[in-house]
Amino acid sequence: MKFIIKLFPEITIKSTPVRKRFIKVLRKNIRAILKRSDAGVDVRGTWDFIEVTTSSDDPVLLAETKDHLSHIPGIAYWMQVTEYPLTTIDDILEKALPAFRERLTGKTFRVTCARQGSHDFQSIDVEKQVGGGLNVQTEAAGVKLKNPDVTVKIEIKRDRYFLETARGEGLGGYPLGSMEPVLSLISGGFDSTVSSFLTMKRGIRTHFCFFNLGGHAHELAVKEVAYYLWSRFGSSHNVQFVTIPFEGVVEEILKNVDNSQMGVILKRMMLRAATSAAKEMHVEALVTGEAVAQVSSQTLTNLAVIDAATDHLVLRPLVAMDKQDIIDISARIGTEEFVKNIPEYCAVISKNPTTKAKPEKIAAEEERFDFAQLDKAVAERRVVSVSDIIADDLTREEVEVVDHVDQGEIIIDIRHPDEEEIKPFSMQDREVMHVPFYQLRTRFAELDREKHYLLYCEKGVMSQLHAMHLREEGHENVGVFNPDHK
């Protein structure tokens, strides 16, 4: 099956060298992602559009391809098409009749034609002749040029033409990797996940930096949302996940810093630590999820004082956004459910936080801070590839993995709903529950403790991680089902 990929409009207005570079990067990204599920996929195109041809018409493969194309930065929209050699307009009508006959029954429609090349007819000739033929030879409700039920789209490219059979919206933005990389400070909340997404959408290779303020549960939850963002929108490029243990820094702030200044100083310490990590990664900018005046530390005065702690550029994609706008984006990209289930941890809460931090006051407070704690946190940071982010935790405890399900055992499919929809899972004579992994921690506690549960995901990695975590919390009645396990 063939797909036509239309470029994000901002790419098409770039200079010729830049446009060609962006298209080359996008083509490479599409190929890298699609080859994981279709080794024989063909990706080509150099200027106006990119053509993707799958190795088969398998419905699952096509569904996966469509899903991927809707989440790769740089794509305006994609079209699933059938390709034919161009001969006559009558031939176009002949091919359009079986393709659209059923879809047009009882519906109004119009025909549109986009044409490139030199031909002895105009686009409007195709629209009239094909539209008239479809109107007469199908059970359509008639032609309607404005807001029809169905639009029959035809694209003519010199000596060939395409009939569009399906269309989907792309992510927009620039191809990932077309811009310099950044290190995004991610806490797992609405703001930091959306700001990370926005930099990825803009073509910026986005690494993640997490400050562990206390507890494995929080770290695990943030790793999950970072992994989701990467696998959903940025898996064409490998990125790093940096964990910096900040408990000692928080303790030092609580002991030695004036209550009203704690929030600003904590942010300054985070920027210093992130800057150290970024320099070693050869990354020249940091990203935060701050928006002006959303909380007391995010006044313009405070942000200026916070930024003074680093010589790195600090990007704030959400700086002028309303909270509801941020939440709406979170819901659209699929991170809202993660945020709802991430454990809350309040490290530093000031009773009367300053909204107008003074550099001299901050400097005086930081003189009482033992910077050895900050140096220790930076030195003890852990850096893992996001692609291995889950496996990094599996060394903590062995988890039972089986390739069969005994009578009475219950399978819990923990895959993301999008993945479950593309590849439904069931097993004859065995009960299968569907609980997305980001809800598993809270919902598992409600299950019957007398029954034994086996977690399932396609690769077996996320299921092992969650089984391990549930066992850490005292749930012994959980294991992993992996039919490919040996």
Side-chain angles (χ1 to χ4, degrees), residues 76 187 195 223 375:
S187 66
S195 62
K223 280 183 172 181
D375 295 338

Side-chain angles (χ1 to χ4, degrees), residues 100-223:
F100 290 93
R101 189 186 304 277
E102 187 174 325
R103 289 173 58 187
L104 294 182
T105 299
K107 304 289 182 64
T108 60
F109 77 98
R110 68 174 177 178
V111 175
T112 64
C113 176
R115 186 176 58 87
Q116 287 185 2
S118 179
H119 307 98
D120 58 2
F121 56 83
Q122 301 297 317
S123 297
I124 193 169
D125 298 326
V126 177
E127 294 170 353
K128 288 180 177 180
Q129 190 167 331
V130 175
L134 290 174
N135 192 40
V136 171
Q137 300 182 53
T138 69
E139 296 182 8
V143 175
K144 185 180 179 182
L145 298 182
K146 187 175 182 180
N147 298 322
D149 297 321
V150 178
T151 298
V152 177
K153 295 180 181 293
I154 301 168
E155 288 216 17
I156 298 174
K157 304 293 184 182
R158 298 175 179 83
D159 60 351
R160 54 184 178 149
Y161 69 94
F162 306 102
L163 290 180
E164 179 184 319
T165 56
R167 173 186 288 233
E169 291 299 314
L171 193 63
Y174 291 150
L176 194 67
S178 58
M179 302 294 165
E180 298 92 333
V182 297
L183 181 62
S184 181
L185 280 60
I186 185 168
S187 66
F190 284 109
D191 301 339
S192 62
T193 53
V194 170
S195 62
S196 299
F197 160 75
L198 290 176
T199 55
M200 296 168 72
K201 179 184 175 183
R202 199 62 178 171
I204 302 173
R205 186 178 178 186
T206 302
H207 302 276
F208 301 98
C209 182
F210 168 65
F211 293 93
N212 196 336
L213 305 179
H216 179 222
H218 189 195
E219 179 180 353
L220 172 62
V222 175
K223 280 183 172 181

Side-chain angles (χ1 to χ4, degrees), residues 258-293:
D258 179 81
N259 185 281
S260 64
Q261 312 297 314
M262 291 193 303
V264 170
I265 289 179
L266 176 63
K267 293 288 183 68
R268 284 167 60 88
M269 296 301 170
M270 287 180 171
L271 286 191
R272 289 185 174 108
T275 300
S276 295
K279 286 181 177 178
E280 289 202 8
M281 298 166 66
H282 305 289
V283 171
E284 298 181 359
L286 307 176
V287 176
T288 77
E290 292 156 321
V292 169

Side-chain angles (χ1 to χ4, degrees), residues 282-317:
H282 305 289
V283 171
E284 298 181 359
L286 307 176
V287 176
T288 77
E290 292 156 321
V292 169
Q294 189 176 118
V295 297
S296 59
S297 66
Q298 295 175 15
T299 62
L300 291 177
T301 300
N302 285 0
L303 292 176
V305 173
I306 291 169
D307 284 3
T310 179
D311 56 0
H312 261 44
L313 173 66
V314 180
L315 302 177
R316 294 184 171 89

Side-chain angles (χ1 to χ4, degrees), residues 200-483:
M200 296 168 72
K201 179 184 175 183
R202 199 62 178 171
I204 302 173
R205 186 178 178 186
T206 302
H207 302 276
F208 301 98
C209 182
F210 168 65
F211 293 93
N212 196 336
L213 305 179
H216 179 222
H218 189 195
E219 179 180 353
L220 172 62
V222 175
K223 280 183 172 181
E224 285 178 346
V225 73
Y227 182 83
Y228 171 81
L229 285 169
W230 171 78
S231 63
R232 197 67 170 147
F233 307 109
S235 64
S236 57
H237 290 69
N238 198 17
V239 298
Q240 305 299 312
F241 186 94
V242 183
T243 300
I244 302 180
F246 238 49
E247 297 93 334
V249 173
V250 169
E251 182 179 354
E252 185 69 17
I253 290 175
L254 292 172
K255 286 194 307 183
N256 297 318
V257 171
D258 179 81
N259 185 281
S260 64
Q261 312 297 314
M262 291 193 303
V264 170
I265 289 179
L266 176 63
K267 293 288 183 68
R268 284 167 60 88
M269 296 301 170
M270 287 180 171
L271 286 191
R272 289 185 174 108
T275 300
S276 295
K279 286 181 177 178
E280 289 202 8
M281 298 166 66
H282 305 289
V283 171
E284 298 181 359
L286 307 176
V287 176
T288 77
E290 292 156 321
V292 169
Q294 189 176 118
V295 297
S296 59
S297 66
Q298 295 175 15
T299 62
L300 291 177
T301 300
N302 285 0
L303 292 176
V305 173
I306 291 169
D307 284 3
T310 179
D311 56 0
H312 261 44
L313 173 66
V314 180
L315 302 177
R316 294 184 171 89
L318 313 183
V319 67
M321 281 194 182
D322 298 331
K323 188 67 175 184
Q324 190 57 53
D325 294 335
I326 297 169
I327 293 173
D328 290 344
I329 295 175
S330 180
R332 178 165 54 84
I333 65 176
T335 58
E336 182 183 29
E337 290 296 329
F338 289 91
V339 174
K340 290 179 179 177
N341 291 279
I342 285 181
E344 293 187 8
Y345 184 81
C346 299
V348 172
I349 300 178
S350 299
K351 294 179 182 177
N352 295 297
T354 181
T355 58
K356 293 186 177 182
K358 299 183 183 304
E360 60 274 15
K361 174 68 173 176
I362 294 297
E365 292 297 323
E366 289 186 347
E367 285 183 1
R368 296 199 290 272
F369 181 89
D370 182 3
F371 277 84
Q373 290 292 340
L374 182 65
D375 295 338
K376 181 173 182 290
V378 172
E380 294 178 354
R381 71 187 182 277
R382 289 182 291 114
V383 182
V384 298
S385 170
V386 170
S387 60
D388 298 325
I389 198 173
I390 306 300
D392 180 55
D393 280 69
L394 294 180
T395 57
R396 299 180 186 229
E397 180 182 340
E398 288 294 328
V399 176
E400 173 195 21
V401 182
V402 299
D403 59 2
H404 64 281
V405 182
D406 292 333
Q407 193 70 37
E409 291 185 312
I410 299 173
I411 300 172
I412 303 180
D413 185 345
I414 68 168
R415 295 175 299 164
H416 192 278
D418 291 343
E419 186 179 357
E420 180 190 329
E421 182 180 355
I422 292 172
K423 291 185 177 180
F425 174 80
S426 62
M427 179 174 284
Q428 189 173 5
D429 300 326
R430 295 293 185 268
E431 182 180 353
V432 178
M433 300 176 58
H434 300 276
V435 181
F437 58 85
Y438 48 75
Q439 295 178 354
L440 186 64
R441 181 172 174 267
T442 54
R443 290 182 57 181
F444 195 87
E446 303 169 358
L447 301 180
D448 188 345
R449 299 185 70 90
E450 300 301 317
K451 295 184 178 181
H452 194 260
Y453 301 89
L454 296 174
L455 308 186
Y456 167 78
C457 66
E458 187 170 6
K459 296 182 179 179
V461 177
M462 289 287 285
S463 51
Q464 289 184 61
L465 179 64
H466 282 276
M468 177 201 70
H469 183 57
L470 289 171
R471 292 176 69 86
E472 284 181 351
E473 294 190 339
H475 301 286
E476 299 295 330
N477 59 331
V478 62
V480 170
F481 171 60
N482 183 353

